[in-house]
Amino acid sequence: MKTYPNPTIESIAGYVGQEVMLKGWVRRKRSSGKIHFVVIRDGTGELQGVVNKATIEAEHFERSAKLTQESSIIITGVPRAEPRASGGYEVDVTGIEIVQIAEPFPIQPKEHSTGFLMEHRHLWLRSRRQHAILRIRHEIIRACRDFFDDRDFTLIDTPIFTPNACEGTTNLFHTQYFDQTAYLAQSGQLYSEASAAAFGNVYCFGPTFRAEKSKTRRHLMEFWMVEPEMAFAELADAMDLAEGLLKMVMERVLERRQEELKTLERDISRLEAVVPPLPRVTYGEAIKLLQEKGVSIQFGDDFGGDDETVLASSFDKPVIVHRYPASIKAFYMEPDPETPNLALCMDVLAPEGYGEIIGGGQRIHDYDKLLARIKEHELPEEAFRWYLDLRKYGSVPHAGFGMGIERVVAWVCGLEHVRETIAFPRMLYTLYP
RNA sequence: UCCUCGGUAGCUCAGCUGGUAGAGCGUUCGGCUGUUAACCGAAUGGUCGCAGGUUCGAGUCCUGCCCGGGGAGCCA
C-alpha cells in the first residue's frame, strides 16, 4: 500500500505539489453538481479540498457527496497555492476514506444563544473562535512556565484539599475527607511560602476554587492561578517580577499567535503597548485620581468593578496599584514601616475594563506580628500552627503574587466574558458538560 | 441574595385588543463544473418551560415554581 506524508494543515505550504494524506473533520461542504468543495480541519488549521468528478474515481466522488458537517475523514490530495482560498492554499483531492459520517451537528455557522453554546461546550470547542482562544491560553501558560523556569524558580505544586480556610469558609467549596471536612484550595500561597523557605524561589500553577455567588464576566468557580513566591524579597521585587512576567506573556503571544489574534479580530496595538515600565501608583494616588474624575469614593474604600475600569482606562497599559489600607487586605500582608496602616501589597489592573489580573505583595515574616493579625481576624490559630512555624525557623522577608490565567486570557483575546477562556468553565450553578 | 430581560420547530426568532401555530436556517430529496454562512425547486418539522387559575375559548391575561441571559452585591 502506498504511503504518504501526513503534514498538519498549518504546515501545508511546505508540501505544495506533493501528494499528502490529511486526517480531520469536515468543517462544511458546498456542491456545484460535479464539483464538491470540502473544508477540512485538523486541529491546526483548515483547508479547502476540491473534489472534481472528472478527475477522481466515481466511488470516491460518491463518498464526498455523503459527507456531513463534522464527519471524520482521511483524504489524499495534492496541495497547491490558490489565491481564491482564504488560507492561500487548496488541495486537489485524489481519494477519500470515511471514518464516520456525523449526525446532524447542533452548532451551525450562524448566531446561537450563549446558553445553547454553553450546553454544547464539548462541541463548541471545535469552532474557529474557541480554537483560537484556547491556543492563546496555551501560549500564555507556556510563557508563564518558561518565564519562571528560565529564572530557576522551582515548581512546587500545592494541595487542592486543604484542612482549613484562610478566612472563613463561606466562600469555599467543602467536601468529605473521610471523617473530616476538607476545603478546596482557593490559593496555593500559604504553601508556596513554606516552599520558598525550602527552595528560595518557587512557583505553583494549578486550579483554585471559590464558591462565591458571583455572576459576572470576570468570575468562574474554578480558575487557574500561577503563584510565584520569593524568599529574601520585598514588595518592589514582586512588582518587578510581575512586570517582567507580563512583558514575556505579551511578547510570546504577539510573536507566536498572530493568526489566532487575527481570527479574534483583536486590536493588536493595545497589546503592543504593554511594554515596561508599567505605571505604578499608590492606593492613595489612585483614590485621588478617581475623585478628580468625579467618582465618589473615599480613602479606605475598596475599588468596585467600575472604579477599576475608570482607573485602568487612565493608562494605556496595565497599572500597578500598591500600598492599600491594611484594613481591606488579607491578614498576612506586611505593614508599610513608614505608614503602618498601609499594607505592602499590590494589584495589577489590566486596561480596557479587564480588572485585577494580579494580586500580591510582601508577607509578614515576624512571628508576633503575624500571630497578632491572626487573632485580630479571629482566625483559628491551631489551623495556622504550621504557617506560624515558618516564622520561627529562619524567617526572612518574602514576597510573591498570584496571576489569574483566565482574566489574562480574556484581556489578551479581548473577550467579553471569562467563560470562553477555559475549555470547560465551571459557572455559578452550571456544572454541565 | 437583589434588580432586570427572557423561555414558541434541531437552531435564531415572529405571533396585534384572548379565537386554536408561522418565517428563515438546518435536515432529507432533486438540479447546477469555482463554491466562500453558495444558489434554485420540493419535502420534513411543535407537550408554546412546568403547575394551577380566569374564560365558551389561553402561546397571549393572573398566581406560584423551574431554567437561562445581563447587571449589582460578594470577591487575599
Side-chain angles (χ1 to χ4, degrees), chain A residues 65-78:
Chain A
K66 276 191 250 166
L67 296 177
T68 56
Q69 185 184 354
E70 290 305 319
S71 288
S72 39
I73 53 174
I74 299 171
I75 65 165
T76 53
V78 183

Side-chain angles (χ1 to χ4, degrees), chain A residues 197-210:
Chain A
F199 295 85
N201 293 339
V202 300
Y203 72 103
C204 65
F205 198 131
T208 52
F209 309 87
R210 301 194 185 179

Side-chain angles (χ1 to χ4, degrees), chain A residues 202-268:
Chain A
V202 300
Y203 72 103
C204 65
F205 198 131
T208 52
F209 309 87
R210 301 194 185 179
E212 294 153 11
K213 300 210 168 161
S214 303
K215 209 177 73 174
T216 81
R217 63 186 68 197
R218 298 177 185 171
H219 289 88
L220 294 174
M221 303 302 104
E222 177 181 310
F223 64 99
W224 287 66
M225 279 212 290
V226 58
E227 295 175 274
E229 192 71 29
M230 301 177 285
F232 296 102
E234 302 180 354
L235 174 63
D237 300 305
M239 293 200 276
D240 291 345
L241 190 72
E243 194 172 84
L245 176 61
L246 287 174
K247 172 175 184 274
M248 170 117 161
V249 163
M250 217 41 96
E251 281 174 357
R252 279 289 187 83
V253 171
L254 286 169
E255 180 193 323
R256 302 182 179 182
R257 291 293 159 227
Q258 282 287 338
E259 267 312 304
E260 285 78 5
L261 290 169
K262 206 190 289 175
T263 298
L264 297 171
E265 298 176 326
R266 183 65 166 118
D267 181 357
I268 306 279

Side-chain angles (χ1 to χ4, degrees), chain A residues 38 50 53 83 96 151 158 168 187 231 239:
Chain A
V38 180
V50 181
K53 191 174 188 179
I96 298 179
R151 283 158 184 75
T158 53
S187 163
M239 293 200 276

Side-chain angles (χ1 to χ4, degrees), chain A residues 2-288:
Chain A
K2 200 172 164 188
T3 60
Y4 303 89
N6 182 209
T8 59
I9 287 173
E10 206 171 29
S11 65
I12 205 70
Y15 293 82
V16 167
Q18 188 181 351
E19 190 164 25
V20 299
M21 175 180 280
L22 297 169
K23 302 177 181 181
W25 296 263
V26 175
R27 168 74 78 195
R28 66 176 155 269
K29 189 189 70 181
R30 288 177 288 265
S31 165
S32 273
K34 297 192 173 62
I35 185 164
H36 297 153
F37 300 94
V38 180
V39 179
I40 182 171
R41 62 165 189 91
D42 72 345
T44 73
E46 46 189 75
L47 182 65
Q48 178 162 274
V50 181
V51 186
N52 194 325
K53 191 174 188 179
T55 58
I56 195 170
E57 281 178 46
E59 187 190 343
H60 291 255
F61 188 80
E62 272 155 40
R63 284 179 195 162
S64 87
K66 276 191 250 166
L67 296 177
T68 56
Q69 185 184 354
E70 290 305 319
S71 288
S72 39
I73 53 174
I74 299 171
I75 65 165
T76 53
V78 183
R80 61 177 157 74
E82 171 55 70
R84 283 174 292 186
S86 60
Y89 293 90
E90 241 178 33
V91 59
D92 287 318
V93 178
T94 54
I96 298 179
E97 297 300 328
I98 292 170
V99 181
Q100 192 213 19
I101 294 292
E103 293 180 24
F105 198 63
I107 300 176
Q108 301 168 26
K110 65 171 214 179
E111 289 284 315
H112 290 284
S113 65
T114 304
F116 178 80
L117 289 170
M118 289 309 305
E119 182 106 345
H120 295 82
R121 183 62 176 167
H122 51 298
L123 303 178
W124 189 20
L125 294 180
R126 304 180 188 195
S127 81
R128 208 175 293 172
R129 177 183 162 82
Q130 300 309 312
H131 186 262
I133 294 167
L134 292 174
R135 283 191 118 190
I136 289 172
R137 177 192 170 97
H138 179 203
E139 202 61 59
I140 288 170
I141 290 172
R142 182 153 51 183
C144 291
R145 290 192 179 280
D146 286 350
F147 178 84
F148 293 115
D149 293 348
D150 290 350
R151 283 158 184 75
D152 290 322
F153 279 60
T154 304
L155 174 71
I156 305 289
D157 288 315
T158 53
I160 305 288
F161 287 127
T162 60
N164 232 303
C166 290
E167 1 210 287
T169 55
T170 49
N171 287 334
L172 295 191
F173 288 101
H174 56 273
T175 183
Q176 203 60 34
Y177 194 80
F178 301 109
D179 58 351
Q180 47 180 319
T181 300
Y183 299 92
L184 300 189
Q186 61 176 333
S187 163
Q189 186 204 311
L190 305 191
Y191 294 96
S192 284
E193 289 183 52
S195 308
F199 295 85
N201 293 339
V202 300
Y203 72 103
C204 65
F205 198 131
T208 52
F209 309 87
R210 301 194 185 179
E212 294 153 11
K213 300 210 168 161
S214 303
K215 209 177 73 174
T216 81
R217 63 186 68 197
R218 298 177 185 171
H219 289 88
L220 294 174
M221 303 302 104
E222 177 181 310
F223 64 99
W224 287 66
M225 279 212 290
V226 58
E227 295 175 274
E229 192 71 29
M230 301 177 285
F232 296 102
E234 302 180 354
L235 174 63
D237 300 305
M239 293 200 276
D240 291 345
L241 190 72
E243 194 172 84
L245 176 61
L246 287 174
K247 172 175 184 274
M248 170 117 161
V249 163
M250 217 41 96
E251 281 174 357
R252 279 289 187 83
V253 171
L254 286 169
E255 180 193 323
R256 302 182 179 182
R257 291 293 159 227
Q258 282 287 338
E259 267 312 304
E260 285 78 5
L261 290 169
K262 206 190 289 175
T263 298
L264 297 171
E265 298 176 326
R266 183 65 166 118
D267 181 357
I268 306 279
S269 68
R270 303 302 298 267
L271 304 180
E272 286 167 341
V274 183
V275 178
L278 301 181
R280 300 183 184 191
V281 301
T282 64
Y283 168 85
E285 290 164 346
I287 291 291
K288 214 174 287 175

